[in-house]
Amino acid sequence: MQYIGLASGTTAGSVLTHPVGKLDIVEIEPAAEPAARLFDFVNGRPLDDPRTTLSFADARSFLRGTEKLYDVIISEPSDPWMAGPANLFTQEFFEIGSRALRDGGLFTQWIQLYTLDAELLRSAIATFRSVFPHVYAFHPLRKNDLILVGSETPIELDVARLGARWQVPAVQSDLARLGFHELAAVLAQARLGPDEVAALSTGARINTDDNGLLLFGAPLSVHSSTTVLNDRLLGATARGVGNYLCFPGATREVEGNFLSYLAAAYGASGFSLEAAVTERLADERRKRFRNEPGG
């Protein structure tokens, strides 16, 4: 696994709560290492984990030069209104990242919702999707960040497999710090699935190295409050991810009951439309169960 941008090291520490074999961290600024150690009381000390390798390099150059193929790449650079980090939001960068992924690998990209014009947000999402066509968009705790998880191949949301990962004590403890005490609460941070991301992206311009849409456009809204407008933009297409979940071997009743849990979690997260859509799915699954032989 690779992580771009050390910062406080908290994300790296969270990654290492999972059964990760190796974590390569790429950071351009050497001063970030001693700075991250100031957060050892909360980040889980990822730099002391034997699975971690820290390299000081430009992320694009590192990915171009590496012969490794990763299962997951997490890109969490600084804001795109800065000249250097802006190069980590372009189509060319995502193409470089895609070539460093194994078949079926995942690329995770952070994008800000604050001080970023809504049309530029659409461009950032569309640019990511132009390389990774299968995208889920997470809006954690309905705050100022959007997390895109994309792949060149379909991403299967197998509830049983996700549940097994949830059972890892270190993972549970880490997520509990954010108030997530059940799997449904984590899934309820996902607002858009691949179809909804496609709809949101339709007609948006692609951000490239040559046109510099974010590089030159993002600074114009750096002093603007855009979180509410961007939340509305997401809400216009958000339907939750209940329809994308798969339940191998489960009955329709079990599916419906889990979807009801998920609907309640969406409601608790403040995503009322997603909650309503998911509860309707739950009712449909239970109705199908009752109409099946033996149901």
Side-chain angles (χ1 to χ4, degrees), residues 78-142:
S78 296
D79 302 48
W81 52 264
M82 293 185 274
N87 291 331
L88 302 183
F89 291 86
T90 66
Q91 186 180 56
E92 288 84 353
F93 169 66
F94 296 134
E95 289 171 345
I96 293 169
S98 71
R99 291 193 288 271
L101 283 173
R102 298 184 191 278
D103 290 343
L106 301 177
F107 197 106
T108 299
Q109 178 68 39
W110 168 85
I111 299 177
Q112 69 194 70
L113 296 179
Y114 58 91
T115 67
L116 185 64
D117 175 81
E119 194 57 32
L120 286 179
L121 174 62
R122 285 209 320 126
S123 287
I125 295 171
T127 301
F128 184 79
R129 185 181 174 274
S130 71
V131 177
F132 304 105
H134 305 278
V135 182
Y136 289 88
F138 289 74
H139 186 183
L141 301 172
R142 200 162 194 163

Side-chain angles (χ1 to χ4, degrees), residues 78-283:
S78 296
D79 302 48
W81 52 264
M82 293 185 274
N87 291 331
L88 302 183
F89 291 86
T90 66
Q91 186 180 56
E92 288 84 353
F93 169 66
F94 296 134
E95 289 171 345
I96 293 169
S98 71
R99 291 193 288 271
L101 283 173
R102 298 184 191 278
D103 290 343
L106 301 177
F107 197 106
T108 299
Q109 178 68 39
W110 168 85
I111 299 177
Q112 69 194 70
L113 296 179
Y114 58 91
T115 67
L116 185 64
D117 175 81
E119 194 57 32
L120 286 179
L121 174 62
R122 285 209 320 126
S123 287
I125 295 171
T127 301
F128 184 79
R129 185 181 174 274
S130 71
V131 177
F132 304 105
H134 305 278
V135 182
Y136 289 88
F138 289 74
H139 186 183
L141 301 172
R142 200 162 194 163
K143 292 193 175 181
N144 292 325
D145 307 296
L146 192 68
I147 307 297
L148 303 180
V149 179
S151 179
E152 293 184 273
T153 58
I155 302 172
E156 184 179 70
L157 296 183
D158 183 328
V159 173
R161 290 184 62 192
L162 293 171
R165 291 298 180 92
W166 173 259
Q167 295 303 318
V168 177
V171 173
Q172 285 194 22
S173 177
D174 187 54
L175 289 170
R177 296 191 299 172
L178 298 174
F180 301 142
H181 300 287
E182 59 181 4
L183 175 60
V186 178
L187 287 173
Q189 308 311 302
R191 301 191 66 184
L192 289 77
D195 291 344
E196 292 75 31
V197 172
L200 180 65
S201 302
T202 299
R205 295 180 65 191
I206 302 301
N207 179 46
T208 69
D209 286 350
D210 287 340
N211 66 28
L213 287 180
L214 267 68
L215 172 62
F216 297 111
L220 299 178
S221 56
V222 74
H223 295 298
S224 301
S225 178
T226 62
T227 303
V228 173
L229 293 175
N230 285 329
D231 187 25
R232 291 175 184 166
L233 174 69
L234 297 175
T237 53
R239 297 295 182 271
V241 295
N243 203 39
Y244 296 96
L245 300 180
C246 59
F247 304 82
T251 67
R252 298 297 184 188
E253 183 179 35
V254 169
E255 294 180 13
N257 290 341
F258 184 85
L259 287 168
S260 283
Y261 286 127
L262 179 57
Y266 271 124
S269 297
F271 301 133
S272 56
L273 176 59
E274 292 88 327
V277 170
T278 307
E279 188 57 46
R280 186 163 64 247
L281 285 172
D283 290 340

